[in-house]
Amino acid sequence: VVAPIQTKSKKTLAKPGVKNIVLVDGVRTPFLTSGTTYADLMPHDLARAALQGLLHRTSLPKDAVDYVIYGTVIQEVKTSNVAREASLGAGFSDKIPCHTVTMACISSNVAMTTGTSGMIAAGQCDAIVAGGVEFMSDVPIRHSRKMRKTMLALNRAKTLGQRLSLIGSIRMAHLTPELPAVAEFSTAETMGHSADRLAAAFGVSRLEQDEFALRSHTLAKQAQDSGLLSDVISFKVPGRDMVSKDNGIRPSSMEQLAKLKPAFIKPHGTVTAANSSFLTDGASAVLIMSEEKALAMGYKPKAYLRDFVYVSQDPKDQLLLGPTYGTPKVLERAGLTMNDIDVFEFHEAFAGQIMANLKAMDSDWFAQTYMGRKTKVGTPPMEKFNLWGGSLSLGHPFGATGCRLVTTVAHRLQKEGGQYGLVAACAAGGQVT
Amino acid sequence: FLTCAYFVFLFRYLISYLFSCPCLRSFVNYEVKEDVAVIRMNDPNSKVNTLSVQMQTEMTEVFNEVLANNAVQSAVLISSKPGCFIAGADINMIQACKTAEEVTKLSQEGQKMFERIENSPKPIVAAINGSCLGGGLEFAIACQYRVATKSKKTVLGTPEVMLGLLPGAGGTQRLPKMVGIPGAFDMMLTGKNIRADKAKKMGLVHQLVDPLGPGLKSPEERTIEYLEEVAIQCAKDIVNKKIALTRKKGLMQKAQDYVLGIEFVRQQIYKTVTGKVMKMSKGLYPAPLKIIETVKAGLEQGPDSGYLAEAQNFGKLAMTSESNALIGLYHGQVACKKNRFGVPERPVKNLAILGAGLMGAGIAQVTVDKGINTILKDTMVDGLSRGQQQVYKGFNDKTKKKTITSFERDSILSSLTGQLDYKGFEKVDMVIEAVFEDLNIKHKVIKEVEAVISPHCIFATNTSALPIKDIAAASKRPEKVIGMHYFSPVDKMQLLEIITTDKTSKDTTASAVAVGLKQGKVIIVVGDGPGFYTTRCLAPMLAEAVRVLQEGVDPKKLDALTTGFGFPVGAATLADEVGIDVAAHVAEDLGKAFGSRFGGGNVEVLKTMVEKGFKGRKSGKGCYVYTPGLKSKDVNPDLEDLLEKYKLAANPSVSSDSDVQFRLVSRFVNEAVMCLQEGILNGPVEGDIGAVFGLGFPPCLGGPFRFVDTFGADKLVEKMRRFEHVYGNQFTPCQLLLDHAKDSNKRFQN
């Protein structure tokens, strides 16, 4: 739950004995469809660009933060602690410790909450940078297990004879590479397949999904054109042009969308390439401080970061239902109701997933049968929901989306004059924040 | 109990007669959605749909209405029952027939109905969720298109062969065309269940639908609804030609079709398949041969001959004693999958097994994946580690076969705790001990365990011969002590023999049966006594087998004689599998308990074998020599010298092949009947099930009791008297058998 600084408070969510924690500012690189302008970079390059953008935007001295935390999902093995590589490269002091966290699509949420509750609230730090990065233009493709085993044995082989016999043992099957899949390890089901089943379980039609996707793209385009996406920084890509806009926003027509074939469940599925979020490259960063520190440094913080909750459920059949479970919980923790919230930013993994969550939140039966509640959660009103587009249109670099959502809520609260904002995102493994 | 089934049949018939008004259809109904008729099946009297008389009558009515309805362009056939499309034809309907001609007529009616479905001008899509077996599968493959859910419960197959029958409603004719001749034989001759994804690959279904999770309705309900939606779309697409019913054949398919188009190749296939069947069945089962004959008739002489052969052979098979025996076993198995002792006071959630040997680990394997927290305790690290590896291997093999995922394997194994001490035993609801078969050790264990378990905990002992009351003598709470006799290998053998003493409480029994059922076992509950039921029947047969060996018959010949009678495993091989040491132990114990009646072969033969280290398969040598990695086995050359020492002169008047077979079998059967006479057995059904599923008594004979009925008690007694004359009281028929011999109206089974 995010609350802005400027508006007059209807009720304060400050807790006695707990420091007020504020979002000073947040930035992100433009989110680009993977395989486009960022194609030749490495993940830490993107993260570095976001960090440099944050330094520039906030005029933060390079030694003024106590800690840097990054979230990422598919790790580049050379830079497994990508937070450290990016921070050093961005010119932050080498005295600042950095670590990298992972929790699928909510990795940067974990980065932020680790910083807020784990470090600032506990009195370990006063100022931290949290961020996320994902780079899908290049993913680690491995040799097969058999080949790796042979190669490792080759390392240990002492004689030429041993080496030759190992080389001789290589067969065609050894050469088949292992590709990373956007799939659950426990169920071996891909995310899109799961989303399609979820949509079917809640009776979400293809039409509803296409309509929601079109809404996302249309709103994103409007926001982009009217300059609302102020968190986007410009990035001069080495050897390429300056990039300053997201490139996945494509408002189309319902007729165009209807032409697409299902991407995962064939031939009768409803999830298509157009109503799913696409593979994206991008990085984000936010500056978080205790209120005292921010004020002392002369900042005008954008929002209070008040509360959060993580929930998880069955990774097979309820993989993407997290927002339904998490929303009432975090509201109860903060002492708020659905009506108190002025701005909703939900992560749009798939249009079908959002629609399924909305239907689940609107169902008494679901609330009673699966959530142990007496009545339904209630749905967020659409006039408060993802008004500047979402992951479907802006893109979804897995590790970076969480910071984008929080920054967007702060910016929308300021723009729309609201008091409370709520962020929700589902993640692989059936977890949510 | 068949009378009972017959009454059920009559009753249903009566009901169908009374309520035959079409407006009151209760089994089949339909509604029109746009231009698609959705035909829903739901037998109101049963958990599963079967093709009963009423189901067929109503289906025909509905089908006629659908054809006549101008607003309907196509149809979807679906079941409203979660987990069952159609489980098969109504067996009672077949059993109610008195002659082959009546059954043939039933078959022809089915054929006619499915022919109309096949030739329907309006395409029909079968939407399959759950079991689609036998007549259900024949119905589905008569439809123009099939959509199936990928649910684990969705299985397709033709299990008729397991009931001594053949697919009698067009299956033998349609399947070869649909899945190819080899595939069709594989399905019909093994009767195996085929999962949806495999069925898709084989060409048995056209499209798959994923089962759904929680939504706005329960997963089961919504999955059926979703299946219906997808099937309706398919039906529409067939009508508007978006889906073509003639599928493009791949290169492999074309090549296969070409090869199978050559008559010589087909003849070779029939020959090979017949050869395999003869080798497996020893010619004791008529159904597989009739299936081959029927398929051949259709392919070589055209559909008219094929369908006629199918109907006639179906009629003939239904009248065979083998089919009768197999159907009897089917009913018996269903009966032995029920808990006649009621619901136990508290369900077993935590279970401990003592001894991580072959049996202990096997019991753990069938328990741990049933939602029961399982402790596997041993006294030695090595033994425990071996046992845990056995359980792991059991589940890992399933992962390799893709019946479970590696994640499911790991999460199942997280409920298994291996340990050397009694930690956590205070929370355990049941302890099953599977330690060494020695009364003193069992007493020591029962005392140790009772010191740590809570008062409600049940103590079950896995023993094959020690009387339970002797073991319970060391217990402070004999009402909680019960015998659970598992068969090795536990994960493969279906039988569990539960033994109650006169002190065992009813709730203890109910609980043991409930655990056994969860473990997937077929259960017989018998009274206490030396060898209970199964071991007691087996012991005299093994004693006779030893005598036969002593008389100079070699193990291979002995095996051939027993398997020739229908036992799946020969007597010599069985002894090796059970373990010669165990056999010696049992022979000695039961010999003491029952006296000379259990004599015959000299126990010293077995004892000497044990002394020489010939303990059977586990020691690498027994009657045979076992070389790891080799399937074939040679007779143990040292056995011949050993037997020479104990040689007995064979009496030619009782030593023909047939006489040897009957010497072995009659002692088994007589002992089984005596167990019923003495009240060890609750009834002949459990006796038959125990003998077939636990000891491999020939399934085609249906068990010892059905065997007496079909063979004739008088004829059996006559043979036994002849053997008695030579060997004495080991062949004296028991009183109950004599009663049956005197009165040919007396029967154990109907």
Side-chain angles (χ1 to χ4, degrees), chain B residues 489-510:
Chain B
V490 181
D491 58 321
K492 301 255 159 46
M493 296 293 285
Q494 278 184 285
L495 191 73
L496 168 62
E497 182 180 31
I498 290 181
I499 307 105
T500 58
T501 69
D502 46 10
K503 286 188 182 141
T504 308
S505 76
K506 190 178 160 229
D507 185 60
T508 299
T509 313

Side-chain angles (χ1 to χ4, degrees), chain B residues 222-473:
Chain B
R222 178 60 195 145
T223 299
I224 294 179
E225 213 177 74
Y226 181 48
L227 171 67
E228 184 180 308
E229 289 164 15
V230 173
I232 288 176
Q233 192 54 50
C234 288
K236 284 184 190 164
D237 286 349
I238 294 170
V239 171
N240 64 30
K241 307 264 189 275
K242 273 193 204 159
I243 292 178
L245 286 178
T246 45
R247 264 193 295 181
K248 273 189 197 157
K249 285 181 179 171
L251 195 63
M252 276 303 289
Q253 187 65 42
K254 277 185 192 161
Q256 200 185 5
D257 286 357
Y258 173 74
V259 173
L260 294 175
I262 306 167
E263 200 198 328
F264 172 73
V265 175
R266 291 200 305 271
Q267 294 301 340
Q268 280 308 112
I269 292 180
Y270 303 139
K271 222 173 114 187
T272 320
V273 174
T274 310
K276 263 191 196 166
V277 164
M278 285 306 289
K279 201 178 158 211
M280 301 278 288
S281 70
K282 315 272 174 202
L284 295 169
Y285 295 82
L289 298 171
K290 286 283 184 214
I291 290 173
I292 300 171
E293 185 187 306
T294 310
V295 169
K296 195 171 161 184
L299 290 173
E300 306 304 324
Q301 292 150 38
D304 289 348
S305 312
Y307 280 102
L308 185 64
E310 182 183 271
Q312 286 177 344
N313 284 335
F314 188 65
K316 282 182 204 160
L317 285 174
M319 292 299 128
T320 57
S321 64
E322 289 84 359
S323 172
N324 209 9
L326 292 170
I327 291 177
L329 285 174
Y330 168 76
H331 285 307
Q333 199 183 1
V334 171
C336 291
K337 287 244 178 204
K338 287 183 181 138
N339 193 343
R340 63 181 157 96
F341 298 90
V343 181
E345 274 166 33
R346 48 198 299 173
V348 171
K349 286 182 186 153
N350 299 291
L351 187 143
I353 296 154
L354 305 180
L358 213 56
M359 292 305 279
I363 300 168
Q365 191 189 327
V366 298
T367 311
V368 71
D369 60 340
K370 309 301 183 322
I372 299 175
N373 294 315
T374 310
I375 293 174
L376 185 60
K377 183 199 172 299
D378 204 295
T379 48
M380 308 288 279
V381 176
D382 289 353
L384 180 61
S385 164
R386 197 216 58 82
Q388 283 181 301
Q389 180 57 31
Q390 184 187 329
V391 181
Y392 175 83
K393 187 175 178 296
F395 289 106
N396 197 41
D397 288 351
K398 283 189 184 177
T399 305
K400 281 187 191 156
K401 280 189 209 148
K402 298 202 169 145
T403 48
I404 59 170
T405 65
S406 61
F407 178 78
E408 283 167 324
R409 174 199 65 202
D410 297 344
S411 96
I412 288 168
L413 288 171
S414 70
S415 305
L416 180 74
T417 319
Q419 59 191 52
L420 298 171
D421 54 16
Y422 284 107
K423 185 169 171 281
F425 270 59
E426 69 282 357
K427 286 195 206 115
V428 157
D429 307 301
M430 180 183 280
V431 173
I432 302 178
E433 69 78 16
V435 300
F436 192 70
E437 293 259 19
D438 178 298
L439 196 58
N440 290 329
I441 298 180
K442 301 254 184 204
H443 279 172
K444 183 174 161 270
V445 162
I446 204 168
K447 280 177 191 153
E448 267 179 34
V449 169
E450 285 190 351
V452 288
I453 55 177
S454 55
H456 77 275
C457 180
I458 291 164
F459 185 90
T461 169
N462 173 61
T463 169
S464 52
L466 296 175
I468 308 302
K469 66 170 183 346
D470 295 354
I471 297 174

Side-chain angles (χ1 to χ4, degrees), chain A residues 185-187 193 196-198 200-203 265 267-269 317-318 321 359-360 363 365-366 370, chain B residues 147 150 207-219 222 226 229-230 405-408 410:
Chain A
F185 178 75
S186 59
T187 60
H193 197 277
D196 206 322
R197 284 199 307 116
L198 183 74
F202 282 91
I265 295 185
H268 54 269
D317 289 330
Q318 305 202 16
L321 275 183
K359 293 197 183 213
S363 162
W365 186 84
F366 186 85
Y370 294 101
Chain B
V147 186
K150 272 194 253 178
Q207 197 169 320
L208 296 179
V209 169
D210 289 278
L212 300 179
L216 299 178
K217 287 175 185 168
S218 76
R222 178 60 195 145
Y226 181 48
E229 289 164 15
V230 173
T405 65
S406 61
F407 178 78
E408 283 167 324
D410 297 344

Side-chain angles (χ1 to χ4, degrees), chain A residues 195 198-199 204 209 212 215 275 320-321 323-324 345-361 379-380 382 385-386 391-392 424-426:
Chain A
L198 183 74
V204 179
Q209 294 179 49
F212 186 83
R215 172 190 191 268
N275 60 36
L320 305 168
L321 275 183
T324 303
E345 280 293 327
F346 278 29
H347 161 50
E348 301 167 349
F350 300 89
Q353 164 258 334
I354 288 285
M355 297 312 291
N357 272 287
L358 294 179
K359 293 197 183 213
M361 293 166 103
T379 46
M382 290 313 275
F385 190 85
N386 293 10
S391 299
L392 285 172
C426 58

Side-chain angles (χ1 to χ4, degrees), chain A residues 253-291:
Chain A
S253 66
M254 286 302 287
E255 294 71 40
Q256 288 291 328
L257 292 180
K259 278 186 194 160
L260 280 151
K261 289 207 167 130
F264 302 97
I265 295 185
K266 293 161 189 171
H268 54 269
T270 52
V271 173
T272 68
N275 60 36
S276 318
S277 54
F278 49 90
L279 294 181
T280 314
D281 300 337
S284 56
V286 292
L287 178 59
I288 298 172
M289 291 184 179
S290 65
E291 189 178 23

